[in-house]
Amino acid sequence: MENLFKILEDNKNTYIIKLSDKTHPIFKAHFPGNEVLPAYIQLDIIAFILNHKIKKIQKAKFLSIIKPNDKVKYCIHSNDNNSYRIIIKGLLNNKISEFTYEI
């Protein structure tokens, strides 16, 4: 996770992050020449930010790719502090991914 992203905005239940450029090792390893953020890293980022240890992934949908230097918004929803629904959106509010997990 080191130097993979920078938090640009933190508004309680929303985090806007900017990803590093394509020279980061994560991007170098995932489709060289057509770098994308691996799906599991999308989950790892929010678990890292929220200091969560994910026990079970209940649902995961990945609708669009995330590229180096992209800015994305993590929208966090939780009713019971054990189960979390995360929606990742582009800055134009387009849904990129959605997943639900338990801690």
Side-chain angles (χ1 to χ4, degrees), residues 52-70:
H52 285 169
K53 182 172 180 165
I54 297 174
K55 291 183 180 176
K56 179 180 178 183
I57 299 170
Q58 297 168 320
K59 174 182 158 183
K61 280 200 297 193
F62 302 96
L63 305 168
S64 299
I65 60 172
I66 300 174
K67 305 281 267 168
N69 295 312
D70 278 358

Side-chain angles (χ1 to χ4, degrees), residues 3-6 17-21 27 37 41 45 66-72:
N3 300 320
L4 175 60
F5 65 92
K6 178 181 177 181
I17 67 164
K18 182 178 190 297
L19 293 165
S20 69
D21 64 24
F27 294 118
L37 186 69
I41 297 294
I45 288 172
I66 300 174
K67 305 281 267 168
N69 295 312
D70 278 358
K71 294 177 185 174
V72 295

Side-chain angles (χ1 to χ4, degrees), residues 19-81:
L19 293 165
S20 69
D21 64 24
K22 67 181 184 177
T23 62
H24 190 278
I26 291 281
F27 294 118
K28 284 184 173 185
H30 206 260
F31 304 130
N34 188 24
E35 296 80 6
V36 298
L37 186 69
Y40 75 94
I41 297 294
Q42 295 176 37
L43 282 95
D44 284 352
I45 288 172
I46 197 62
F48 178 82
I49 290 170
L50 297 176
N51 197 28
H52 285 169
K53 182 172 180 165
I54 297 174
K55 291 183 180 176
K56 179 180 178 183
I57 299 170
Q58 297 168 320
K59 174 182 158 183
K61 280 200 297 193
F62 302 96
L63 305 168
S64 299
I65 60 172
I66 300 174
K67 305 281 267 168
N69 295 312
D70 278 358
K71 294 177 185 174
V72 295
K73 180 174 22 175
Y74 279 81
C75 304
I76 300 134
H77 308 275
S78 178
N79 293 330
D80 61 12
N81 292 327

Side-chain angles (χ1 to χ4, degrees), residues 5 13 83 88:
F5 65 92
N13 293 321
S83 181
I88 301 175

